[in-house]
Amino acid sequence: MANTPIKLNDGNAIPWLGFGTGTALYKKDAERMVAAAIKAGFTHLDGAQVYQNEDSLGAGIIVSGKPRSELFVTTKLYSLQPGQTVRESLQGSLKKLKLDYVDLFLIHTPLEHVGKLREVWKQFEEVKTEGLAKSIGVSNFHEEELDVILPGSEIPAINQIEYHPYLVAETATLLDFHKKHGIVTASFGGLSPLFRFPGGPVDPIVAAAAERLSKASGKNISTSHVLLLWQKQRGIVTITTTSKESRLPEYLSIADEPGLTLEELKAIDEAGASSPHRHFMRSVPATEKRVRD
Ligand SMILES: NC(=O)c1ccc[n+]([C@@H]2O[C@H](COP(=O)([O-])OP(=O)(O)OC[C@H]3O[C@@H](n4cnc5c(N)ncnc54)[C@H](OP(=O)(O)O)[C@@H]3O)[C@@H](O)[C@H]2O)c1
């Protein structure tokens, strides 16, 4: 099953592969694609307030007919209005989503809460205690920001970050930090090497692995398939998306295929590390300007 669950530090579990309503569906009506994704087999849906389509994510869930208990739904807090609490903000999201709770609630970016990270995280703990969010976590956090919220607090279940082979070197210490504290790494932008930075050193290695796997399985294994496998075998929760229904079965077939060899995994890591670059949040301020807590 592509939706192999990954255990979280709070005892809950998250399906490995998630369908996102940002990027390709950002600020768009997501109802049709969400319903199609669920019908195709996705059970993990990744939304956010800033995508401005929580309403249609909720509508897609209803149209799919899938029982709520069989779905894992995430949303993310963006900014808070002056005087607004995290609880009020989450309740606004739940109303749009037409849900009583989310499975995962994330702080979308620390940059919207500079100087208030601990206070916001304490409020996250409260909405979890109330049952409005089954698990709580963060996104786009560096070690320094995790250090601000960790002492005396519930450990975030997840840190959702941009992750692909070209970020292997840059994120190595962060991933070690996650491991040490039992934080699961979730990724977005995983297909970037192929479609956002084509022609780099990762491409020929991924292409050779796709060819080997195609021969071994007798199926047409694509290069995007190989990159998703690379994340899966690394134990990274993977959020992808598409604006095209035709790609859904391919994404979901990942776990049915034979895996990458240790040599292939290592060669992809090494090629990625030789040419670091990122697509999202390229202009984030230096750490000292991010924390100030
Ligand atoms: N926490 C954050 O700050 C953050 C930031 C970014 C994203 N996210 C989440 O992560 C989700 C996925 O992000 P992502 O878009 O970066 O994921 P991705 O997996 O890197 O890219 C998905 C895109 O790859 C394209 N693609 C797949 N196969 C392809 C092929 N064979 N040829 C050409 N294009 C192909 C798809 O285009 P088509 O649409 O044409 O199929 C799709 O839009 C978002 O929707 C959002 O939920 C979170």
Side-chain angles (χ1 to χ4, degrees):
M1 263 297 281
N3 282 327
T4 314
I6 292 186
K7 263 248 171 284
L8 300 174
N9 61 24
D10 58 10
N12 295 328
I14 183 168
W16 162 68
L17 189 65
F19 181 83
T21 57
T23 52
L25 301 172
Y26 181 72
K27 291 191 184 176
K28 292 190 183 141
D29 187 322
E31 178 181 324
R32 184 181 63 83
M33 282 308 300
V34 166
I38 296 171
K39 281 183 185 148
F42 275 93
T43 55
H44 170 183
L45 303 154
D46 182 83
Q49 294 174 344
V50 77
Y51 303 161
Q52 294 178 39
N53 56 13
E54 287 173 306
D55 250 320
S56 56
L57 166 55
I61 290 172
I62 291 170
V63 167
S64 78
K66 192 87 168 166
R68 170 69 183 97
S69 57
E70 291 175 27
L71 295 173
F72 187 104
V73 183
T74 299
T75 198
K76 312 183 192 84
L77 171 78
Y78 198 62
S79 51
L80 285 167
Q81 304 304 316
Q84 188 187 30
T85 64
V86 168
R87 184 174 194 273
E88 285 163 358
S89 180
L90 176 54
Q91 279 176 326
S93 285
L94 291 173
K95 193 166 175 213
K96 289 180 187 157
L97 291 163
K98 296 163 268 296
L99 299 176
D100 300 330
Y101 67 93
V102 284
D103 296 275
L104 180 63
F105 190 39
L106 304 177
I107 301 180
H108 202 143
T109 165
L111 298 177
E112 290 297 320
H113 310 281
V114 174
K116 294 184 182 152
L117 277 182
R118 272 188 77 77
E119 185 188 319
V120 170
W121 187 246
K122 287 291 158 206
Q123 292 189 46
F124 264 63
E125 292 177 341
E126 285 166 22
V127 294
K128 180 172 182 252
T129 306
E130 282 183 66
L132 298 177
K134 301 278 180 202
S135 294
I136 51 174
V138 298
S139 178
N140 299 301
F141 270 49
H142 291 175
E143 292 96 303
E144 292 80 359
E145 290 137 354
L146 288 165
D147 271 334
V148 169
I149 61 169
L150 283 183
S153 302
E154 174 152 348
I155 311 279
I158 293 257
N159 186 13
Q160 188 188 103
I161 57 169
E162 179 177 356
Y163 189 71
H164 47 69
Y166 292 123
L167 285 174
V168 160
E170 190 183 315
T171 57
T173 53
L174 178 61
L175 262 60
D176 284 347
F177 186 101
H178 288 172
K179 211 169 170 184
K180 183 173 152 208
H181 292 279
I183 300 168
V184 167
T185 306
S187 82
F188 57 83
L191 297 177
S192 297
L194 297 170
F195 313 117
R196 295 184 177 112
F197 323 120
V202 166
D203 283 11
I205 296 162
V206 168
E211 199 181 324
R212 182 190 67 76
L213 286 170
S214 298
K215 276 190 193 144
S217 65
K219 294 179 193 163
N220 184 20
I221 305 294
S222 67
T223 47
S224 41
H225 200 130
V226 170
L227 272 186
L228 293 176
L229 260 180
W230 176 83
Q231 302 237 23
K232 183 166 197 291
Q233 290 181 238
R234 288 272 179 263
I236 309 278
V237 170
T238 302
I239 316 296
T240 187
T241 192
T242 179
S243 53
K244 301 180 180 65
E245 281 188 43
S246 56
R247 287 204 218 285
L248 295 169
E250 188 203 341
Y251 288 161
L252 286 160
S253 70
I254 306 302
D256 300 338
E257 306 305 330
L260 298 170
T261 63
L262 287 178
E263 290 72 25
E264 285 166 338
L265 290 169
K266 191 162 168 260
I268 294 170
D269 287 358
E270 285 172 359
S274 73
S275 178
H277 41 279
R278 64 168 55 242
H279 176 73
F280 296 92
M281 301 190 78
R282 270 165 294 182
S283 56
V284 289
T287 303
E288 57 277 14
K289 294 206 186 90
R290 288 166 61 105
V291 176
R292 291 205 311 254
D293 225 284

